[in-house]
Amino acid sequence: MEKLIDVVVVTYNRLPLLKECLLSLLNQRDNLSGIFVVDNHSTDGTTAYLSSINDSLVKATTLSDNIGGAAGFEYGVNQAMVEGTGRYIWIMDDDTIPNIGASSALLKTAKQLNDTFGFLCSNVRWTDGHATNIAQVSKDWPEKISFGLVGTVSATFVSILVPKENINRLGLPLGKMQIWGDDTEYTTRLSSFEASFFVSDSIAVHKTGYNLMQDSLKTIQADRIWRFKSMYRNLIYIKRHYASKRGVLKLVFENIVTGIGALAAKDHRLNRFGAAFFGTWNGFFFNPDVHFPDEVSLEKSKNEERSKKILNG
């Protein structure tokens, strides 16, 4: 059986969940050509655990510093592009637990679509079975519907499948986005290039500590407020690049209203408002470069492949 998928998992100090994630992936090994794990300098025993894995499918890298989730995905996708042998890259967080048939459902859909899609995303559920990390449905999804699939314009890095050809054309995720919004930007970039779809039969459980769909700037834990600041900056960047000026202004208004509403929170009111205000402001001056897979390594691989073909006649 041809192994078509290179998986990219970014992890940081969530060893029990990482073990569960990898076990789920290894149970689908017939579809996988490699599992690239990027350890963001964990301090909970993750490094030792990854070093102890005796399975050639798992290719782990421990970074010398915690470079953040977005940069971790940029690093991991680049590594999988350069070193992996599959046709697709399957991106997920370390707290993503894909069901046993998740990869097969994605591959089935990819085949039905003849690889003509930007990305495919799974049906993500929280631990209580309710939907979470819900993909944004395309406004023209009735025209884009195919094989019973629903068109989407963006999703999160909780189980998305991307053809490597698209990554070569459009580049890697934006590592400078730090956290929250990097997945929205990347999937929007992909869906702007080619119609993308939600695959209901590909189910993954997001074992985060709380359902992100139920949280807000007003209620988020205090130590996570800074994430909203990054998110508001990133969303303004996304609107600037993929929406109209009217869309940008609408988002600015919504962000400020949200910030004002957060002044009624139980604690850290000014910090919450500041996250919305300064995050939005920073978004107008945020212009990170899009990087592409390591061209030197890719060219070396191509040359080696060409040499093999010549030697083999």
Side-chain angles (χ1 to χ4, degrees):
M1 180 180 292
E2 190 177 7
K3 299 176 182 291
L4 299 175
I5 300 176
D6 287 315
V7 187
V8 173
V9 180
V10 176
T11 187
Y12 177 69
N13 280 356
R14 288 198 285 206
L15 181 54
L17 288 171
L18 175 64
K19 289 181 178 179
E20 194 172 351
C21 173
L22 291 181
L23 177 61
S24 178
L25 290 171
L26 291 171
N27 284 333
Q28 304 176 59
R29 65 186 307 129
D30 287 347
N31 294 328
L32 309 184
S33 49
I35 303 173
F36 293 84
V37 182
V38 179
D39 173 16
N40 242 329
H41 198 65
S42 296
T43 58
D44 65 344
T46 293
T47 302
Y49 165 70
L50 290 172
S51 299
S52 70
I53 296 177
N54 185 24
D55 193 314
S56 60
L57 196 64
V58 180
K59 308 171 193 304
T61 300
T62 296
L63 303 179
S64 57
D65 295 293
N66 184 349
I67 62 176
F73 280 115
E74 182 183 45
Y75 182 99
V77 172
N78 181 71
Q79 185 181 24
M81 287 293 294
V82 173
E83 300 178 15
T85 59
R87 186 185 304 171
Y88 312 97
I89 291 185
W90 191 11
I91 303 173
M92 66 184 67
D93 286 317
D94 54 1
D95 56 1
T96 301
I97 316 299
N99 282 14
I100 188 67
S103 60
S104 293
L106 292 171
L107 287 175
K108 178 182 178 181
T109 301
K111 184 177 181 180
Q112 289 175 321
L113 295 172
N114 294 316
D115 286 350
T116 307
F117 61 89
F119 70 88
L120 301 177
C121 60
S122 295
N123 183 352
V124 182
R125 301 284 164 167
W126 195 42
T127 52
D128 64 359
H130 286 86
T132 186
N133 298 84
I134 301 172
Q136 182 181 353
V137 176
S138 171
K139 290 183 179 179
D140 59 349
W141 71 265
E143 287 73 34
K144 291 185 177 181
I145 195 165
S146 180
F147 302 105
L149 304 170
V150 176
T152 61
V153 295
S154 66
T156 68
F157 283 166
V158 182
S159 186
I160 70 162
L161 189 78
V162 185
K164 287 188 175 181
E165 181 180 353
N166 293 355
I167 299 171
N168 278 325
R169 289 181 178 180
L170 303 177
L172 303 165
L174 285 172
K176 292 292 185 181
M177 283 196 158
Q178 191 177 29
I179 194 166
W180 282 9
D182 55 312
D183 44 12
T184 301
E185 189 284 326
Y186 196 55
T187 51
T188 302
R189 195 191 320 169
L190 292 165
S191 66
S192 297
F193 169 71
E194 198 77 68
S196 302
F197 300 95
F198 168 81
V199 183
S200 60
D201 291 339
S202 176
I203 299 173
V205 177
H206 190 193
K207 285 202 170 182
T208 182
Y210 55 93
N211 191 338
L212 296 174
M213 302 302 295
Q214 299 174 355
D215 227 326
S216 68
L217 178 61
K218 184 177 178 180
T219 60
I220 193 74
Q221 297 171 4
D223 61 352
R224 288 174 172 257
I225 294 174
W226 68 272
R227 296 178 178 230
F228 272 86
K229 183 177 180 180
S230 292
M231 183 185 74
Y232 289 128
R233 178 199 64 188
N234 295 343
L235 292 180
I236 289 293
Y237 170 92
I238 294 167
K239 287 293 184 181
R240 284 171 48 214
H241 284 76
Y242 303 106
S244 64
K245 290 183 179 179
R246 182 177 179 181
V248 175
L249 292 175
K250 182 174 182 290
L251 180 60
V252 170
F253 177 76
E254 290 173 352
N255 288 356
I256 299 305
V257 169
T258 300
I260 293 173
L263 290 173
K266 295 180 179 179
D267 57 18
H268 298 85
R269 298 181 182 88
L270 291 179
N271 285 343
R272 295 176 192 276
F273 174 78
F277 180 83
F278 291 108
T280 299
W281 174 262
N282 292 341
F284 287 97
F285 306 96
F286 184 57
N287 296 292
D289 293 329
V290 174
H291 298 295
F292 287 79
D294 191 333
E295 296 175 357
V296 174
S297 297
L298 287 175
E299 188 59 34
K300 179 181 178 182
S301 298
K302 292 177 182 177
N303 289 335
E304 290 175 349
E305 184 177 353
R306 282 194 289 267
S307 297
K308 291 178 181 178
K309 288 181 179 179
I310 293 173
L311 291 173
N312 292 331

